[in-house]
Amino acid sequence: MPSITRRALLSQLLLTTAPVVEDAGKHTLVCVFLRGGADTLNLLVPYADDAYYKARASLAIAAPSNDSKSAVRLNDHYGLHPMLKPLADKFHDGRLSFVQGVGIRDNSSGSHFESQDLMEHGDASLDNSAGGGWLGRFLHARAGKNITPLSAVAIGTKLPESLRGAPSVSVMQSLDDIGIKAPSNKPEAAAAALAKLYGADVTLLGERGRETLDLFHRVSALQHNDYHSANDATYPKDEFGSGLREIARLIKAGVGLEVACIDLGGWDTHFLQGTAEGTQAGRAKLLADGLAAFDADIKAERDNVSVFVMTEFGRRLYENSSLGTDHGRGFASMLLSNKIKGGRVVGSWPALAEEASDGPGGMQIHYDYRSVFSEVLRGTMGLAKTGSVFPNFKPESVGLV
Amino acid sequence: MKTTRRQVFQAAALSSGAVALSGCERVISTITSATEVGVPDHLKGSESMEIDPEFHLLSRAAFGPWPGDLQHVKDMGRESWIEEQLNPDSISDAACDFRAERFNTLFVRPAEAYNFKKPLLRDELTRHALLCAVYSQRQLYEVMVEFWTDHLNIDLNKGDCIYFKTADDREVIRKHALGNFRDLIRASATSPAMLVYLDGRSNKVTKTKPVPNENYGRELLELHTLGVNGGYTQNDVREAARCLTGWTVNLLKNSEGKVKQLFQPSRGESFFNPEHHDDGSKIVLGKTIPAGGGEADLEQLIDIVCEHPSTAKFIAKKMCSHFVSHDTPDSLLQRVADEFTKTKGDIKSLLRAILKSDEFYASRGQLLKRPFRYVVSSLRAVAADTHAHQPLVDWLHRMGQGLFQYPTPDGYTYEEAPWMGTLLWRWNFALTLAGGKIPTVQIAANKLRKALDAGHDKSADEVTTKLFAHFTGRQARPHELEAVRGLNKDAEALGVLLASPAFQRC
């Protein structure tokens, strides 16, 4: 029997992990979660509604004008926060749309965790859980079709709830990090020993261990080359920017990435929210600059990439006594994709009506969040039947796609 | 035998000649390894096929055994060890103090913290926590410090929290970690760090803005006491917030004070401003707090939430999830909740009820270590010498548990699945540690092998068998022996054992 050299072993490894995935991974959905309950009323500004200015004496964003601190006009009703200006051209190009008044209808608690939990699990209530997260269930429903260790990637250090139940999820900060750092610099031997140990473990730990090894082998093939973004895209120099860059890299590498999750935190603006400048403006700038860079970088792949932006709830119409806003109800979500009817703000007008039956008040909810999620999966990922992802739920038509 | 501070200093005097010019940390490392944090001459791992009960106790009520701890618990008996641990002041901790209590910022008042740069405050607080967990003899106390730090989570990155968390760690968490639950919650309620973190400081009513800030009031009910399904309503949240109006913290330098007040609280000090208090009557969880209570509303509110039956259940459940199992039998949950009610939240009594129960011993090896425990137990198992510099701390971030930096008030989760996405970093930590390649961290691999009689003259299987028993408290199964057989028996095998599923669990 001919002896297998290290070189032969490596080239074999490269062959077997060649990044060719035909079916699954053709389209990538990037989910951006604005953690903390973003005040979308100041991001997608309903400048034509007097109620908005009445309720927000000191926090409102001025109606569009020549002043750089005023809203950036989208249409006769809405404008963007001045820091979101880099997204305006995508709206006018017909690639970006908003859905106004999205939320959880039966959520009287106003809790971040309960709301994020419901939102990410895609459940009607905590007592009526479908198991797993909505993106996890989506991937699970497609499990027969070439699921890879990089089908789902979460940028960061923790698995997001939305990806629970996915056949495989990789949590990473950078592609370059992925490797096995054996003391002898021979990762294959350590990997083989770990494969035996985790291979014999029948619990979830064993399963996750085997997936981790699979990922190691696959990514080895992509490493050791510097990444240069396309079209002079310049990502913000922070975790959000570098996370989006890594997602772009995975998309271009064709490793079968279907769902990528990334968080942008800092939206819980109870205190000194700011207007055109200040706390929220800083987060808005990161969001817009990051998405604009990503969009430029993946220009050649745009037909196969969609970006969905969400949060757990909107905030109240009225500002509080500390120049901030408290937990509210509905929010505006955003979808950037070549596959949608763009350039629109979906949802009835006037949007504003403080709603407070038993829970916190805030913008009325026009659309159950699961209807929006369903339409995103249907329109971008081609999910035909949403029943597998949202059992016992009949989505209403939102009109995004 | 415990080492006194005097003995440590004597050892310092003896060894200082040899390490005279090599820096304070080198001195500390040398003298402490000469005394109590070394490796005993002889070690014996468990010979049982199941996890040794004493090993199990050390895996949960401590951050895993330091070499020699297992024999120590066997010699003194589990019950006596638990009682000793429940009285941490009775345990000398000189060697740990020498290493961990030497940072300037640990002792400052909030006002003084502003004199230090933020990275230094973060660095020293983090290093202190990590060093105490690794080196303290008061292990159960440190385990509870970690538990309450998550329970009353504060993120250093929010506002001025970084200036106040050190005081919160000292005056709230560490002061009450083994004390009374009500005292803990009361201390937290007016801790400057908490007043900033959950916006209590801006919870006030004024003539123009009669709307309280509900953030802290909500988390007090949802996360700190009753739990999310504890039977409170949105109205209770609002009423709790009203009780707390007026409690705030001064963030301004004295010269910056805009409004002249009767007394001027110093910077970083919490105080009650009656002008911003809603002094009407309130109804919280069905109990009326009459109008005119002023600052005493806070005491009544804390009494109401701490005495609520949901709180006893919630805390029992959370502690059992930490110490026993995510699926703790109802029998134990009920006993711990009853103990909470009976003792009005005496934390030591809860720990006794848990650690001495049959359910506790029946849950051996069922929990997944969170990254902090994984790192600390690894360092302890190999008698590592570290001063917790950045190269070590960075690993916690990769694994997803950077200390004092969890953004939301629910604290790092005890659920297991979310931690499994970062297994690769655990493996790499283990392999890098075993290879001696984490800068500033030294492991006592040779001493350990010698003490275990697992030196180079022994066969690979013998070495693995002994190391495995030392790390996991049980004998290796055939497939576990087989898996590491082909590896280099020095660093590689050691690292893979620390990376193995058996060491991920506790």
Side-chain angles (χ1 to χ4, degrees), chain B residues 37 62-63 66 93 95-103 106 124-143 145-146 169 174 372 376 379-380 386-388 403-404:
Chain B
V37 293
F63 287 104
W66 184 277
D93 217 9
C96 174
D97 290 351
F98 220 48
R99 218 175 258 258
E101 302 295 335
R102 65 192 180 86
F103 304 117
L106 297 179
E124 296 196 347
L125 182 63
T126 304
R127 290 175 68 187
H128 178 252
L130 190 50
L131 290 171
C132 286
V134 176
Y135 295 108
S136 181
Q137 307 285 339
R138 301 163 180 174
Q139 282 281 302
L140 180 54
Y141 172 74
E142 292 299 332
V143 166
V145 166
E146 192 213 8
D169 185 57
R174 290 182 175 271
F372 183 66
V376 173
L379 294 168
R380 287 173 63 77
T386 175
H387 293 276
L403 301 184
F404 310 110

Side-chain angles (χ1 to χ4, degrees), chain B residues 6-278:
Chain B
R6 178 182 292 267
Q7 281 173 307
V8 172
F9 279 108
Q10 280 170 347
L14 284 174
S15 61
S16 60
V19 290
L21 297 171
S22 46
C24 172
E25 290 172 349
R26 289 281 294 276
V27 175
I28 294 170
S29 295
T30 306
I31 61 180
T32 52
S33 63
T35 55
E36 65 191 39
V37 293
V39 177
D41 291 339
H42 299 288
L43 284 170
K44 210 171 99 199
S46 168
E47 284 171 1
S48 149
M49 286 311 289
E50 296 304 321
I51 297 170
D52 198 280
E54 284 79 20
F55 190 97
H56 172 65
L57 180 60
L58 283 161
S59 298
R60 302 269 180 93
F63 287 104
W66 184 277
D69 281 1
L70 183 62
Q71 196 57 46
H72 175 65
V73 178
K74 282 181 184 291
D75 291 346
M76 88 186 277
R78 297 198 296 264
E79 297 243 336
S80 308
W81 184 83
I82 293 168
E83 285 307 321
E84 186 185 69
Q85 287 291 317
L86 287 173
N87 292 289
D89 291 344
S90 71
I91 305 171
S92 159
D93 217 9
C96 174
D97 290 351
F98 220 48
R99 218 175 258 258
E101 302 295 335
R102 65 192 180 86
F103 304 117
N104 288 330
T105 64
L106 297 179
F107 307 98
V108 298
R109 287 187 298 117
E112 296 161 347
Y114 283 101
N115 297 327
F116 295 93
K117 288 208 156 49
K118 286 182 178 186
L120 183 74
L121 291 162
R122 171 166 34 231
D123 198 37
E124 296 196 347
L125 182 63
T126 304
R127 290 175 68 187
H128 178 252
L130 190 50
L131 290 171
C132 286
V134 176
Y135 295 108
S136 181
Q137 307 285 339
R138 301 163 180 174
Q139 282 281 302
L140 180 54
Y141 172 74
E142 292 299 332
V143 166
M144 288 311 289
V145 166
E146 192 213 8
F147 180 81
W148 295 123
T149 300
D150 275 314
H151 188 73
L152 300 167
N153 181 62
I154 285 167
D155 178 6
L156 294 182
N157 301 311
K158 176 163 173 175
D160 279 5
C161 284
I162 189 153
Y163 297 114
F164 307 147
K165 178 58 200 176
T166 301
D168 183 90
D169 185 57
R170 194 177 61 221
E171 306 292 337
V172 179
I173 306 293
R174 290 182 175 271
K175 187 170 178 183
H176 300 288
L178 288 176
N180 174 275
F181 179 76
R182 195 252 181 225
D183 294 343
L184 174 74
I185 297 302
R186 170 63 188 84
S188 169
T190 55
S191 169
M194 191 58 87
L195 283 165
V196 172
Y197 181 55
L198 290 178
D199 301 309
R201 74 180 192 89
S202 46
N203 177 21
K204 59 189 173 189
V205 288
T206 61
K207 279 182 189 130
T208 49
K209 301 262 178 180
V211 193
N213 186 313
E214 294 170 4
N215 205 9
Y216 174 76
R218 174 184 309 285
E219 307 311 3
L220 173 67
L221 298 175
E222 175 179 332
L223 299 173
H224 299 172
T225 58
L226 278 75
V228 69
N229 297 314
Y232 61 91
T233 63
Q234 169 61 23
N235 205 46
D236 291 318
V237 169
R238 197 175 305 131
E239 294 288 282
R242 287 180 62 217
C243 290
L244 295 160
T245 45
W247 281 99
T248 190
V249 56
N250 180 26
L251 299 185
L252 302 171
K253 287 182 190 162
N254 283 343
S255 56
E256 292 171 351
K258 285 177 195 150
V259 187
K260 266 266 175 272
Q261 283 174 343
L262 210 53
F263 71 103
Q264 188 70 40
S266 66
R267 194 181 193 194
E269 199 169 281
S270 51
F271 67 102
F272 178 72
N273 181 347
E275 286 175 32
H276 290 159
H277 183 63
D278 177 343

Side-chain angles (χ1 to χ4, degrees), chain A residues 328-376:
Chain A
R329 298 270 287 160
F331 61 86
S333 67
M334 185 165 96
L335 184 61
L336 173 64
S337 172
N338 281 2
K339 293 191 156 190
I340 59 166
K341 294 188 209 163
R344 295 174 320 131
V345 180
V346 180
S348 60
W349 179 270
L352 303 187
E354 185 87 354
E355 179 185 52
S357 48
D358 55 343
M363 195 181 358
Q364 270 189 334
I365 292 170
H366 299 301
Y367 298 106
D368 186 295
Y369 69 109
R370 291 166 294 171
S371 294
V372 179
F373 290 6
S374 297
E375 204 151 306
V376 168

Side-chain angles (χ1 to χ4, degrees), chain A residues 65-117:
Chain A
S65 72
N66 290 331
D67 185 350
S68 64
K69 289 181 181 176
S70 66
V72 180
R73 189 179 187 284
L74 291 182
N75 58 30
D76 289 344
H77 301 294
Y78 287 106
L80 287 178
H81 188 286
M83 290 297 179
L84 295 185
K85 193 174 177 187
L87 302 179
D89 61 334
K90 299 164 198 7
F91 183 87
H92 297 303
D93 291 350
R95 300 197 295 120
L96 175 69
S97 273
F98 294 87
V99 186
Q100 183 67 289
V102 182
I104 302 164
R105 285 218 165 92
D106 309 312
N107 178 25
S108 58
S109 80
S111 150
H112 289 294
F113 317 106
E114 202 166 318
S115 305
Q116 289 185 11
D117 228 43

